[in-house]
Amino acid sequence: MAKSKKGSKLQSRNKKQKGSTAVEDGNDYLNKMIDSNKQRIPWYLSQNSMIGFLLAGIAVVHFQKNATDLKSLFSSKGPNKDSDPMSQCGLVMANSSLPDSGWGMFPLNVITEGSPVSFGDPIIQIPDIPSEQSKSIGHLLHNYLWGGDVTGGIHEGKVVYSFLPGVGSLANGHPTQWNIAPTNGARVGEAGVKRTSSPGAGAFTHYHDFSFFAYGKDIQAGEEIMVNYGSGWLSKIPHDSIVAHRPTNELRENGICLDHIRPDVSSLPDAGRGAFSTRFLPKGTIVAPVPLIPIQSRDALVMGENKAQILQNYCLGHAKSSLLLVPYATGVNLVNHGGKNKSNVRFQWSSSSLHLGTEMRDRSIQELMKNPYGLLIELIAIRDIEEGEEIFHQFL
């Protein structure tokens, strides 16, 4: 779990904040939102009207000549319904090798220098957060967001932050042992949606495929993937005492696979992008981990009358609570609503030791925000999912 990305990535902004009041529906609001004994949870994907995007051309770094392509890195060689999907996995989320740093990312195979470490992140631009709303969004703002100058989103507003829900949020950082570097921009595309006539226009981000590459050397199997977040990062931890490596057998046993799904254009009309399986996933498979970042009040994403941050379309929430939960990890933000007929996954609280927030589920929003780390749910296959099949959840 990444902590504050200090240094050059975040732009300076007004720190003046005012408190906000959260509306609760009893102390068990989180348990009402997720019940691991049920087939689904009463969450919905909010569909508020979104602000339009000013699109600009953004340069994309090409792979180096020795780079391995994504298909060979993260896809199986063909459907293998007799093997455990975890045995084919190439990238996992597990406890970080860094003290008090939550989760981290670890490859189970060597990633050669210049190769992508995972599928590219979508980029959710967050422009011009009012200072009076920054307290409700503070955990996300200070611990996960990048500067818009890094992602190519600087023209979206006066002060722009960028949310990268995959590698950009999950990878930890180290000032001397970092081993990946980002591209200098992202791709911009409509995903087949016509902005002048489609009902889906403006409902999803057009920035996508922001990738991180192995930098300076090959990344060995079991070596934690880390970014250089600047000299202020982990200043209290002795740099030379870190052993950023875990045995691969331990990672396969205790980690959760991050490359069971990949991004692509959705099979649903007007839906933009979606998530697709990279291999055959039997019923009951953990399709993906879904860490959660709480936002104290949904009002923090309001930009004015009939306008809201596009991030709201990527949040989970309950109609009787002001709390929003921002999911992150590779591909999980791209899972679309499939209804009863198409849905092939459900959410449940993680039973893994990686879930650190079990005791927080029965506490108030204010108590949750005092220690917002460690909330983890999972996408579980409710039937066999074929390789290449789009992942759907019944959100409503």
Side-chain angles (χ1 to χ4, degrees):
M1 178 194 304
K3 304 287 186 177
S4 178
K5 295 173 176 58
K6 299 179 180 179
S8 62
K9 295 176 179 60
L10 287 182
Q11 303 177 25
S12 61
R13 67 187 308 275
N14 185 0
K15 296 297 182 182
K16 184 178 180 182
Q17 301 174 349
K18 296 180 182 179
S20 59
T21 303
V23 179
E24 298 177 40
D25 186 31
N27 290 333
D28 62 340
Y29 66 94
L30 275 176
N31 281 332
K32 289 182 178 180
M33 289 198 292
I34 305 179
D35 184 348
S36 60
N37 295 319
K38 296 182 179 179
Q39 288 295 305
R40 65 183 181 90
I41 61 174
W43 277 356
Y44 68 95
L45 189 63
S46 54
Q47 295 291 334
N48 286 20
S49 176
M50 293 293 109
I51 61 172
F53 267 65
L54 175 64
L55 300 181
I58 299 177
V60 179
V61 171
H62 293 284
F63 297 164
Q64 297 181 8
K65 291 183 179 179
N66 63 336
T68 308
D69 62 38
L70 284 171
K71 185 175 181 180
S72 61
L73 263 177
F74 303 113
S75 297
S76 60
K77 295 181 179 179
N80 186 350
K81 298 185 178 183
D82 295 325
S83 64
D84 178 7
M86 193 64 182
S87 68
Q88 305 172 54
C89 182
L91 187 69
V92 298
M93 184 182 91
N95 285 323
S96 175
S97 60
L98 305 178
D100 302 318
S101 295
W103 306 306
M105 302 179 72
F106 298 82
L108 297 177
N109 305 302
V110 174
I111 301 177
T112 57
E113 180 183 359
S115 295
V117 300
S118 182
F119 300 106
D121 284 2
I123 304 174
I124 303 167
Q125 308 292 3
I126 306 175
D128 303 327
I129 302 171
S131 58
E132 64 271 15
Q133 295 178 355
S134 61
K135 182 177 181 180
S136 290
I137 201 174
H139 178 50
L140 175 69
L141 175 64
H142 299 299
N143 296 326
Y144 293 89
L145 300 187
W146 295 65
D149 57 328
V150 178
T151 65
I154 57 174
H155 299 294
E156 298 296 335
K158 294 180 179 178
V159 178
V160 181
Y161 296 98
S162 302
F163 178 52
L164 311 177
V167 179
S169 289
L170 195 54
N172 270 305
H174 196 278
T176 62
Q177 297 196 36
W178 59 280
N179 49 21
I180 65 172
T183 67
N184 66 342
R187 299 179 187 271
V188 176
E190 306 286 344
V193 173
K194 296 182 179 180
R195 294 186 61 78
T196 57
S197 59
S198 172
F204 62 91
T205 177
H206 296 275
Y207 294 83
H208 68 105
D209 199 20
F210 189 92
S211 298
F212 292 78
F213 297 84
Y215 183 82
K217 64 182 182 67
D218 295 349
I219 301 176
Q220 301 304 311
E223 180 181 351
E224 184 165 0
I225 292 171
M226 289 191 284
V227 187
N228 182 8
Y229 291 134
S231 59
W233 181 266
L234 298 178
S235 57
K236 296 182 180 179
I237 298 176
H239 298 168
D240 297 333
S241 65
I242 301 299
V243 179
H245 185 277
R246 290 195 181 282
T248 55
N249 60 336
E250 175 186 309
L251 292 171
R252 287 192 184 277
E253 182 177 354
N254 299 315
I256 304 177
C257 188
L258 290 168
D259 64 19
H260 283 334
I261 56 177
R262 60 173 176 81
D264 207 338
V265 176
S266 176
S267 61
L268 295 178
D270 305 304
R273 292 179 179 81
F276 294 78
S277 62
T278 60
R279 54 185 63 95
F280 174 73
L281 303 173
K283 180 180 179 180
T285 299
I286 300 176
V287 175
V290 187
L292 300 170
I293 304 168
I295 293 178
Q296 184 172 342
S297 172
R298 66 181 68 239
D299 291 341
L301 300 182
V302 174
M303 298 185 68
E305 187 175 357
N306 297 322
K307 292 183 179 181
Q309 297 279 0
I310 199 169
L311 176 64
Q312 187 163 323
N313 274 14
Y314 293 86
C315 292
L316 301 168
H318 191 278
K320 293 185 178 181
S321 175
S322 65
L323 180 73
L324 290 178
L325 297 172
V326 185
Y328 68 98
T330 305
V332 299
N333 304 75
L334 301 177
V335 175
N336 285 310
H337 174 64
K340 292 183 178 180
N341 295 330
K342 290 182 177 292
S343 296
N344 49 21
V345 296
R346 64 180 172 88
F347 283 124
Q348 71 175 31
W349 283 111
S350 176
S351 59
S352 167
S353 61
L354 299 179
H355 177 38
L356 308 177
T358 303
E359 74 284 357
M360 300 300 293
R361 290 183 292 177
D362 298 321
R363 298 185 182 182
S364 68
I365 293 177
Q366 286 79 6
E367 290 174 318
L368 175 65
M369 297 309 298
K370 290 178 182 178
N371 184 22
Y373 296 101
L375 290 174
L376 178 64
I377 58 176
E378 297 165 344
L379 281 173
I380 305 295
I382 59 176
R383 60 169 175 79
D384 289 353
I385 300 174
E386 299 297 325
E387 179 179 350
E389 185 177 347
E390 185 165 3
I391 306 301
F392 291 110
H393 183 274
Q394 186 174 352
F395 286 101
L396 298 175

